[in-house]
Amino acid sequence: MEFQAAFQNNDRDAIRRIMPNELNIIDESENTLALGFSQNKTQLRTVSGGGSYLLIQRNNRDWLLPTFQTLTGMTTSQPAKGLFTYERQSVSCAELKRPAEVKMLGEVWEVVNMGIVIVPA
């Protein structure tokens, strides 16, 4: 996946050329997560800038990735947002192993399959 290679190499120019959409978790999902109701699927909304996640479309599927800033934050904090699971390994900073798969439901995106982020052990 071209985007994943650019992402893993921290190639911001290549990512800009691909032009992914930015997303944030909707308030209702944030509130549900804060209350500890993790059985609900996390939903996100497209934003015009400042999103914490990126949406790319490849092979007729929709994928969600953390932005560089969000991924960097996962090195020290692994929030349970219903987007990614975390694998502890001998790494110095968080790495994306597999993006989350999402689907469009009306005006929001919903997580279908959680992604995986590798974090320091």
Side-chain angles (χ1 to χ4, degrees):
M1 191 187 285
E2 175 190 359
F3 185 86
Q4 192 159 355
F7 190 86
Q8 289 175 336
N9 293 323
N10 201 18
D11 187 345
R12 294 171 194 262
D13 290 331
I15 291 170
R16 276 192 275 283
R17 283 192 305 274
I18 298 167
M19 296 290 290
N21 292 312
E22 296 182 35
L23 290 92
N24 279 329
I25 298 173
I26 65 171
D27 290 339
E28 293 85 357
S29 283
E30 284 281 9
N31 294 339
T32 300
L33 290 164
L35 294 171
F37 298 113
S38 60
Q39 67 270 24
N40 295 343
K41 298 271 186 183
T42 301
Q43 295 182 332
L44 304 101
R45 181 167 284 123
T46 304
V47 295
S48 59
S52 296
Y53 304 94
L54 303 171
L55 174 74
I56 60 169
Q57 298 169 325
R58 293 289 180 265
N59 302 324
N60 296 320
R61 294 167 82 178
D62 299 303
W63 303 100
L64 182 77
L65 301 90
T67 62
F68 290 115
Q69 184 175 352
T70 300
L71 184 63
T72 300
M74 291 177 183
T75 299
T76 55
S77 173
Q78 295 83 45
K81 301 274 186 180
L83 304 172
F84 300 97
T85 59
Y86 303 97
E87 289 183 5
R88 297 200 176 280
Q89 294 185 18
S90 295
V91 295
S92 59
C93 60
E95 300 174 11
L96 180 67
K97 180 175 181 179
R98 186 182 73 218
E101 186 176 0
V102 295
K103 67 178 178 181
M104 185 69 150
L105 285 178
E107 295 183 9
V108 297
W109 293 92
E110 185 172 274
V111 175
V112 176
N113 293 307
M114 290 175 56
I116 301 171
V117 172
I118 298 169
V119 296

